[in-house]
Amino acid sequence: MTTPQNPKATPKTFHVKSFGCQMNVYDGERMAELMAAQGMTAAAEGEAADLVVLNTCHIREKATEKVYSDIGRLRKGARELGRAEPMIAVAGCVAQAEGEEIVRRAKVDVVVGPQAYHNLPDLVAKAASGQSSLDTDMPALSKFGALPKRRKVSPTAFLTVQEGCDKFCTYCVVPYTRGAEISRPFAELVDEARALVDAGAREITLLGQNVNAWDDEAGTGLHGLIHALDRIEGLHRIRYTTSHPNDMREGLIRAHAEVEKLMPFLHLPVQAGSDRILKAMNRSHTRDSYLKILDRVRAARPDIALSGDFIVGFPGESDAEFEETLSLVDAVGYAQCFSFKYSPRPGTPAAEMPDQFVPMAVMDERLQRLQAALNRDQLAFNQATVGRTCTVLIERQGKLPGQMLGKSPWLQSVYLTTDAQIGDMVEVEITSGFGNSLTGVEKVRAAA
């Protein structure tokens, strides 16, 4: 679809703003690399850029509306600065789901889906010639072969190993916006991991909508890929997210005991504590099967930090069923969690269910109670770290003079005063634990 527009100057500067999940962060980084490979320069703020890419999330309604709000803000900001309005490209899952509607409603220059963003330079060129360009094709994994080689990265880097989803949870749009579940080739991933390490990464997080579903024709499984990455010299840490309980295989659980570089952290969403609600969500696991998985993981790695996702107010959720979610939280003791109010997504089975709307006041109250329990457990986990000495990977400067911020093996933010540089591995004694962070003092500087 193309709609005639006023021609715009070929952009010389760009800004990418990503919403939502870590896979969007990875995609945003790759789009930035695409633009840089075209000779464009990154701008710190969207209002100062000739091209702004809004890399969108479609999980919740507010995230969708924020896209339209940002488009208006960018145009107003450019006018206030006396600049021409930037060329605007909408990418990501909102682009995939609502492509033509975005062109009609917001009159943007480019709309590109998450499987087609490797075509962004061509779409930008079309927009510069006066055409509004839309590309929401979904060719499986073809974008990865068309992307430029990885550039210099920070000490932590994302590596997408798997995309799409075949689980079809009834509330979720991912199967429709990201496509079918598919794994990238083993050799390609090992080569990209080596390139990331050569470019400065010391920690790599493997990404996928269902990352632990990654596999190849040889049946390597995610645990086999992790073992291969473990052999890369210069790589110190490996993480992975997001996992599905149905794909938590024994080999991967054993890897938590066998691979020292695999950090003691597992994000394993459960979504609810009631079996009836889980069945209505098409989650394909029960409360009991989920808890048994966690028991096996803890047996393999007793110090592991557990994380999850929860939805409150799913259609028809009763007070008693919500109480089952609270009791599950009490049983697990999460180190950190994400929790949300149910938001109906057009086109999903849940959006057509009876008893669609739990009253907003009820959802608000349930979310507050759930988050209070999760915050309680996160604080307890952080405070239990006090007195330990652990390795912290320095990621950036803190707000105070001489202060640096890094991550513990359990993904906690750790603040300390040190002359260590970004990328250094520091042995730190944890001195204080707070709701969202730790403080510590440096004990030993690890060799580079």
Side-chain angles (χ1 to χ4, degrees):
M1 169 184 169
T2 57
T3 302
Q5 301 285 319
N6 295 323
K8 292 189 176 182
T10 300
K12 294 182 172 59
T13 59
F14 71 91
H15 180 76
V16 179
K17 181 176 182 180
S18 292
F19 304 81
C21 69
Q22 290 166 312
M23 290 194 70
N24 264 22
V25 175
Y26 172 89
D27 288 346
E29 291 172 352
R30 301 301 269 141
M31 283 187 273
E33 290 169 354
L34 270 172
M35 297 299 96
Q38 299 298 308
M40 291 188 225
T41 303
E45 299 292 338
E47 291 83 354
D50 303 326
L51 166 67
V52 179
V53 181
L54 298 175
N55 188 28
T56 62
C57 172
H58 200 256
I59 295 297
R60 292 181 300 281
E61 184 177 8
K62 287 185 179 179
T64 302
E65 290 305 311
K66 184 169 174 55
V67 176
Y68 293 105
S69 174
D70 266 25
I71 291 169
R73 180 186 59 77
L74 286 166
R75 289 171 172 161
K76 179 181 178 183
R79 290 193 298 270
E80 290 175 349
L81 291 172
R83 291 174 49 88
E85 290 185 3
M87 183 183 295
I88 295 177
V90 178
C93 290
V94 173
Q96 186 69 40
E98 304 182 21
E100 294 189 9
E101 173 66 10
I102 295 170
V103 175
R104 184 195 67 77
R105 178 175 168 183
K107 296 180 173 58
V108 298
D109 304 282
V110 175
V111 175
V112 60
Q115 300 297 356
Y117 66 72
H118 57 293
N119 296 324
L120 189 55
D122 290 340
L123 296 171
V124 168
K126 284 184 180 180
S129 69
Q131 300 178 70
S132 178
S133 302
L134 182 151
D135 188 347
T136 53
D137 288 344
M138 299 181 72
L141 300 183
S142 66
K143 66 185 178 186
F144 292 102
L147 295 173
K149 291 187 181 296
R150 303 303 301 267
R151 302 167 68 88
K152 182 176 175 61
V153 298
S154 69
T156 62
F158 293 132
L159 173 56
T160 291
V161 304
Q162 178 272 343
E163 286 208 346
C165 183
D166 295 338
K167 302 298 190 286
F168 289 93
C169 299
T170 56
Y171 53 82
C172 185
V173 298
V174 168
Y176 314 104
T177 59
R178 289 274 183 174
E181 206 168 87
I182 189 165
S183 298
R184 292 179 63 191
F186 173 86
E188 181 180 303
L189 293 171
V190 174
D191 286 346
E192 186 169 341
R194 286 198 183 102
L196 287 168
V197 173
D198 290 343
R202 307 197 79 178
E203 173 182 295
I204 291 178
T205 300
L206 309 178
L207 299 180
Q209 264 82 37
N210 294 294
V211 67
N212 55 341
W214 183 89
D215 209 350
D216 59 9
E217 292 181 355
T220 303
L222 187 65
H223 61 283
L225 178 61
I226 288 170
H227 278 283
L229 300 187
D230 182 41
R231 295 189 287 271
I232 296 177
E233 187 175 351
L235 178 62
H236 292 260
R237 290 180 164 186
I238 302 168
R239 301 185 189 273
Y240 63 92
T241 196
T242 292
S243 302
H244 193 286
N246 278 21
D247 296 313
M248 204 67 204
R249 303 183 182 101
E250 189 59 35
L252 183 55
I253 292 174
R254 286 200 312 270
H256 279 279
E258 297 167 349
V259 180
E260 185 176 354
K261 292 180 184 179
L262 183 57
M263 293 294 96
F265 185 92
L266 174 63
H267 182 65
L268 193 66
V270 61
Q271 305 300 357
S274 158
D275 283 345
R276 191 194 73 80
I277 294 295
L278 290 171
K279 184 175 182 180
M281 289 178 167
N282 195 34
R283 286 294 290 169
S284 305
H285 61 83
T286 65
R287 172 194 181 100
D288 184 61
S289 69
Y290 177 82
L291 289 172
K292 286 180 177 176
I293 292 170
L294 298 189
D295 287 342
R296 290 160 53 209
V297 172
R298 279 179 161 148
R301 186 68 193 256
D303 68 333
I304 199 159
L306 298 172
S307 171
D309 292 348
F310 287 93
I311 295 171
V312 302
F314 189 80
E317 181 187 60
S318 68
D319 289 341
E321 287 164 340
F322 173 67
E323 293 294 335
E324 291 185 78
T325 292
L326 289 181
S327 70
L328 177 67
V329 168
D330 291 342
V332 174
Y334 290 98
Q336 55 180 256
C337 263
F338 301 97
S339 53
F340 313 98
K341 291 182 286 189
Y342 168 72
S343 174
R345 300 289 75 208
T348 60
E352 306 299 324
M353 289 180 177
D355 301 320
Q356 181 63 206
F357 295 105
V358 173
M360 187 58 67
V362 174
M363 280 205 285
D364 287 340
E365 189 267 344
R366 287 178 184 172
L367 186 63
Q368 290 173 17
R369 290 179 62 197
L370 174 61
Q371 289 181 339
L374 295 171
N375 291 340
R376 172 203 67 203
D377 289 349
Q378 181 169 325
L379 175 61
F381 185 88
N382 288 345
Q383 290 179 336
T385 316
V386 174
R388 287 186 182 180
T389 296
C390 64
T391 305
V392 172
L393 173 58
I394 302 298
E395 296 183 8
R396 61 180 174 85
Q397 293 181 333
K399 295 181 179 180
L400 302 178
Q403 186 185 67
M404 301 298 282
L405 171 65
K407 288 292 196 305
S408 77
W410 304 283
L411 206 62
Q412 299 146 305
S413 294
V414 182
Y415 291 88
L416 66 152
T417 300
T418 177
D419 61 357
Q421 301 300 301
I422 293 172
D424 284 346
M425 309 284 289
V426 179
E427 291 298 307
V428 175
E429 181 182 342
I430 304 303
T431 55
S432 300
F434 306 99
N436 295 306
S437 65
L438 309 173
T439 59
V441 293
E442 181 177 351
K443 305 294 287 184
V444 179
R445 187 79 51 85

